[in-house]
Amino acid sequence: MNVSDTELVETLLKKQGHQKVITPDEADILFVNTCSIREHAEDKVHSLLGRYNLLKRKNPSMIIGVLGCMAQSLKHDILENKSYVDIVLGPDSYRRLPEILERHQADEKSAVDTKLSKYEVYDDLFPNRKDGVNAWVTIMRGCDKFCTFCIVPFTRGRERSRSVSGITKEASKAVDQGFSEITLLGQNVNSYDFEGIKFPELLSAVAQVPGVRRIRYTSPHPQDVNEELLEVMRKYENICNYIHLPLQAGSNRILKRMNRTYTKEHFIQLALKIRDYLPGAGISTDIIVGFPGESDDDFEDTIDVMNQVNFDSAYTFKYSPRKGTKATEYDDQIEESVKQNRLSRVIDLQKSHTLLKNEAYVGNIEKVLIEKQSKRNKSNWTGRTDSNKWVVFDKSGYDINDIVPVLITESRGITLHGKISKKIRAA
Ligand code: 5AD
Ligand code: SF4
């Protein structure tokens, strides 16, 4: 989401005549687009700001701005302790950027705007995308789910959806600019609701935009993944056979305390249903360990779901208390060493599942969208399968943005290796 928001900000700055530079020390204006999701993300911002402060000492006219989710929580800290920060703007205030920059140049006063909006979706602003294969297209902003561990509803505000026509227009423009893949983005994509049009209908509208070769979306909430959505995914060839389905925890007691609104049983049934509707679909997940009150037995439920579902991959996190969220008030916080042990266990288990899942691909011919040159070997491409697996293979005269049939010959680590199976261009 921040990559996508940064592209919006770039559009605004470009319109005002600013240009992008390569390294921070060349810049007259430096923005940090921030994330508050875990403490680690915030720590990174603090250290980056420290470094930018040193640059500003060498170049005192440099303007430093803090954008995005940390704007609100940092507002006071910044005004009191970080006087070198000139501009603080929350995620709904980017439109004000040109005006604020202009004003700052005139009076050099610091400017702060962290108001959240019920309406802002930046519908008419086309992001300034980098070359590549994938175009992020934001379809909704904010979140009303209020999972008790999560800061997003506070930093990004209420849910609101962008118009279907704004979204399809942007997808079409991305196609014209050469992008092959569209990833629909939102904190909670399947809460999408624009004048009664829900996510499955939107997805099918995007699938019909001429020239869109691949569509992904992230992230859905398991509670709202329904048969209508799976039907749409099954119907359109260009919607990828892949779902990111955040589990968070396996224990019903913890899920309830997290306010996740589904049970372990529901989640497992849903994963089975997805595989039923979409054979071979890749399923990835997010898992939090060490949520307040998580007992050894609760944790074993998470392990149990992992063993039953066999995720293709997982993003795993230690619970990180976020000020202002409900879970920080629970008085049974888990010790760091317990969190660390649990994290190591889920990482190891996931590695073994990923390996098993990947080994099953050996011998398959997969359609791979070529994304970039392999870092290890200049004569190889890397790209992703429909189900979101990375594959490395010989270049064989093909190019970035081609979709090619690749025979999977080997599964190594988390990556598949293969060779082009036929010298024809796949659709
Ligand atoms: N601590 C740890 N992980 C978190 N996430 C969100 N909030 C927290 C937190 N306080 C994770 C969830 C979410 C992903 C984007 O980040 O797993 O799905
Ligand atoms: Fe946070 Fe996602 Fe829950 Fe919304 S649904 S509160 S973004 S974890």
Side-chain angles (χ1 to χ4, degrees), residues 6 34 88 110 125 164 175 195 307 332 417 422:
T6 298
T34 60
V88 180
S110 57
L125 270 187
V164 178
V175 168
E195 296 176 349
N307 281 324
D332 39 9
H417 292 255
K422 284 179 258 156

Side-chain angles (χ1 to χ4, degrees), residues 36-39 147-152 187 219-220 244-249 258 260 285-289 291 315-322 325 327-328 339:
S36 302
I37 198 88
R38 284 171 293 276
E39 197 180 345
C147 301
T148 57
F149 53 80
C150 186
I151 194 75
V152 167
Q187 261 73 40
S219 282
H244 182 67
L245 199 66
L247 166 67
Q248 312 302 3
M258 286 178 160
R260 284 297 285 178
T285 197
D286 289 344
I287 292 173
I288 298 177
V289 299
F291 184 79
Y315 299 89
T316 51
F317 312 107
K318 288 187 273 189
Y319 167 69
S320 170
R322 305 285 69 212
T325 61
T328 51
K339 285 186 193 172

Side-chain angles (χ1 to χ4, degrees), residues 222-225 261-271:
Q223 180 202 306
D224 304 317
V225 174
T261 67
Y262 52 82
T263 60
K264 172 185 178 183
E265 294 73 25
H266 173 92
F267 187 95
I268 293 169
Q269 281 310 314
L270 179 60

